Structures are given as C-alpha cells and as structure tokens.
Amino acid sequence: MNHVFGPVPSRRLGYSLGVDIIPPKYCTYDCIYCQIGRTTDKGIQRKSFYDAGSIADEVARKVASARVDMITFSGSGEPTLNADLGAMIRRVKERVDTPVAVITNGSLLYDRDVRADLAEADVVLPSLDAVTDQVFQRINRPHPSLDIRRIIEGLREFRAECSKPVWLEIMLIRNINDDPEELKKMAQIVSSLGVDRIQLNTVTRPPSEESVCRLEEGDLQAICKLFGPRCEVICSFERTEEMPAQADWTEIILETLRRRPLSLEDVVRTTSLTRFQAKTRLKAMEDEGLVRSYTLGDDVFYVVA
Ligand code: SF4
C-alpha cells in the first residue's frame, strides 16, 4: 500500500505531503462533516499497522522528487490510533529536514503515550468542535467511552507539556455547533487552553452527511471576534506556484482522491496542469468511471467513483 499522497495544497501548511498511517476507516469519531465517509471501525485502542522504516523510505523518496513544505501525518481515520506514531515521526526526521505536522481530532490526548508521540512533531493541529456533551454527540458521534470534559483536560495537559506550536481547529456547522450559548462557552474554554492559534473552519468539501450546512464567511468573521486575537478564519489556499512536471497525473490525482475530495482548482494547484488540461483530464476520468463529481454550494468536487 502507498502511504504517502500529494503534496496537496493545504490552507494551513503550504504544500503538504500527506502520510496516511491508519487503515480506512478506523477512528474514535464518526463526524458528520468527515470527508472520508462514515466510520466503519470506531475504537479507542492504539494498534500497530505498518512498518515505520518503510513509511520513512516512502516519505524520503517523495521529498527528494517534489516540493514539500510540511510532512503531515493524518490518515483514513485518527492518526493517534497508530501506536507507532512517535517512532514513525522519529524515523522520518532521521531521513529528511522537512518539518512534521500531525492533524489529530485530539480525543486521545488524555493518554500520556499519545501526548509523548505528538510531542515529536514540529506542529500539532488538534480539533475541538464542542464543549458540551449534547453538541459533542451530534457533531462528532464519538466512541461511547469518550467524554468531552476528559478530552478538554487532555488538550490542556498537552498544551502545558508541549513546547511546540499547537493550532486548534474548530469546525463550525450551521445549526449544530453555532448556537450563541455553545460558542460563548467554547470561547471561554478555548481561551483558557493557551493554544498558539485558533482556526475556524466550515464545510467546504463534500461531507459524510449531505445535510450538513456550512457557515458564511461573514458569520465566521463575527464568531472569530469572540475568540480573541489568536483566532483566524482559515480561507481557501491562494498559492499558484506550479509543481514540477510529472507523468502519470491520472494516478497521482487518484492517489489523493482516495483520501480526500478535490475541486478543479485543487487539481490545478497540485499538478502542473493548466485549468483546461485539468478539466479535460477529470472529464476523461469521469467518463472512464474512475471518478464522479459532486456539487457543494457553488463548487464542484471530485471523488473516487
Ligand atoms: S473528520 Fe477526522 S475525526 Fe472526524 S470522523 Fe473523519 S477522520 Fe475521524
């Protein structure tokens, strides 16, 4: 199995080389906004899945041949469920100088071993979408043993112990977690955590549940003020530099699509194809039955068929 995908344009991390260390789809949550689809294996047990050395080899080969700003551990599920996460980060760092990030839902930060593994990274991006149990259950549909108060305390402990930057993402969904009372409580709790950045997001890609609605830019900007000066709305990726020419774009596009949906603009940014070429390539892939398109708001996204 190929564990490395991209580099893909990331709103927060530049050209981000994804490292997928979780089989689809093992996660502690089943978020209503998940881009990967429904969780088929919900659990909290950390397990070994893949060989750390082979993953480091794959990363090193890719970094040698493409522009990479950040190596980002994520997965087709929750990456901290991989018991070898810390060892994998260390093995990658022995091979390349590129900084390493981990994107995590933060649900296992109460576990000392998870915190120690994450401390190996250069930047950690946990998420927190709720501070009350009712909203937590609705948006994240967590494993029954998880408790939102324990998760918040785990985040607090991690922040206190870890000297690396911690950027907290909050995914906001209309009529789910944008209630003024929930937001007020969340702002109080998040301010007390002392994270370096608070990043507000909303649904911009096809979610697990089609009924999920995004917030408008204006709503996000207003909510941002509640969270103070460290808060920002993370906007679409604007960079337009071209990647070096590569041969098999169909396979490269598919490799990324297996992990996340892409818009036409995403494909243009991740490849050296022009807009016209990307559109033609995606149309051919759609005709061949490799991908299908999906409309969300004003945008068209592509997913693996
Ligand atoms: S969004 Fe992340 S945490 Fe939520 S279900 Fe998907 S993979 Fe799991």
Side-chain angles (χ1 to χ4, degrees):
M1 182 182 168
N2 193 353
H3 296 279
V4 170
F5 61 101
V8 294
S10 155
R11 296 172 197 179
R12 302 185 278 180
L13 302 169
Y15 282 101
S16 161
L17 184 70
V19 187
D20 183 353
I21 57 167
I22 291 290
K25 193 202 162 195
Y26 187 41
C27 193
T28 54
Y29 291 172
D30 182 17
C31 302
I32 57 173
Y33 58 79
C34 186
Q35 298 168 22
I36 308 167
R38 293 297 306 260
T39 297
T40 48
D41 189 6
K42 198 184 285 182
I44 58 162
Q45 293 305 319
R46 304 189 79 201
K47 301 177 191 174
S48 290
F49 295 104
Y50 312 117
D51 177 63
S54 315
I55 292 205
D57 289 346
E58 250 188 75
V59 170
R61 275 198 300 277
K62 195 71 186 187
V63 168
S65 66
R67 172 179 171 179
V68 176
D69 298 329
M70 187 72 78
I71 295 161
T72 307
F73 281 78
S74 56
S76 304
E78 168 51 34
T80 59
L81 284 169
N82 190 316
D84 303 313
L85 173 63
M88 285 177 177
I89 297 173
R90 285 194 296 278
R91 294 294 287 269
V92 165
K93 283 176 158 285
E94 283 164 16
R95 304 289 302 275
V96 296
D97 293 332
T98 314
V100 172
V102 181
I103 297 179
T104 168
N105 65 22
S107 58
L108 301 180
L109 282 168
Y110 60 80
D111 179 332
R112 184 193 304 260
D113 293 339
V114 170
R115 297 200 298 273
D117 281 0
L118 288 173
E120 302 277 350
D122 297 291
V123 54
V124 179
L125 297 89
S127 54
L128 182 73
D129 306 324
V131 291
T132 57
D133 185 58
Q134 193 192 18
V135 177
F136 181 48
Q137 298 297 333
R138 283 180 77 194
I139 192 165
N140 299 123
R141 298 187 293 206
H143 185 273
S145 67
L146 292 171
D147 179 282
I148 190 61
R149 284 157 302 191
R150 200 170 173 214
I151 291 170
I152 292 167
E153 286 319 303
L155 265 168
R156 197 182 302 287
E157 279 178 77
F158 180 64
R159 169 66 292 179
E161 289 168 10
C162 177
S163 58
K164 314 284 179 54
V166 178
W167 302 348
L168 184 77
E169 178 176 3
I170 303 169
M171 179 66 87
L172 291 164
I173 309 291
R174 180 166 302 288
N175 298 331
I176 298 288
N177 63 347
D178 64 339
D179 172 80
E181 272 309 304
E182 178 77 11
L183 289 173
K184 201 169 141 195
K185 276 187 209 146
M186 189 180 281
Q188 280 165 357
I189 289 172
V190 167
S191 312
S192 73
L193 295 177
V195 295
D196 300 277
R197 295 187 193 177
I198 303 157
Q199 302 185 311
L200 303 186
N201 202 353
T202 192
V203 181
T204 55
R205 291 173 193 286
S208 175
E209 302 295 338
E210 289 186 20
S211 56
V212 165
C213 292
R214 69 171 80 177
L215 268 69
E216 299 304 325
E217 172 84 21
D219 300 327
L220 289 171
Q221 293 296 354
I223 294 168
C224 192
K225 293 195 178 81
L226 272 179
F227 286 84
R230 291 186 180 183
C231 187
E232 60 189 329
V233 174
I234 47 178
C235 299
S236 296
F237 195 90
E238 302 285 353
R239 298 164 72 167
T240 56
E241 297 100 304
E242 289 193 346
M243 302 292 286
Q246 292 187 44
D248 190 358
W249 284 121
T250 297
E251 191 40 46
I252 289 164
I253 292 167
L254 279 174
E255 204 174 85
T256 303
L257 283 177
R258 288 185 193 110
R259 275 93 179 185
R260 56 175 274 200
L262 293 174
S263 67
L264 173 64
E265 299 309 324
D266 290 334
V267 173
V268 170
R269 291 182 193 116
T270 44
T271 64
S272 59
L273 302 174
T274 64
R275 204 166 188 282
F276 176 76
Q277 288 169 327
K279 207 168 177 175
T280 309
R281 179 71 62 116
L282 286 165
K283 172 79 173 63
M285 289 168 73
E286 200 165 8
D287 291 346
E288 283 175 51
L290 296 172
V291 301
R292 64 183 173 82
S293 53
Y294 182 111
T295 304
L296 182 73
D298 296 334
D299 299 318
V300 176
F301 287 88
Y302 293 84
V303 294
V304 172

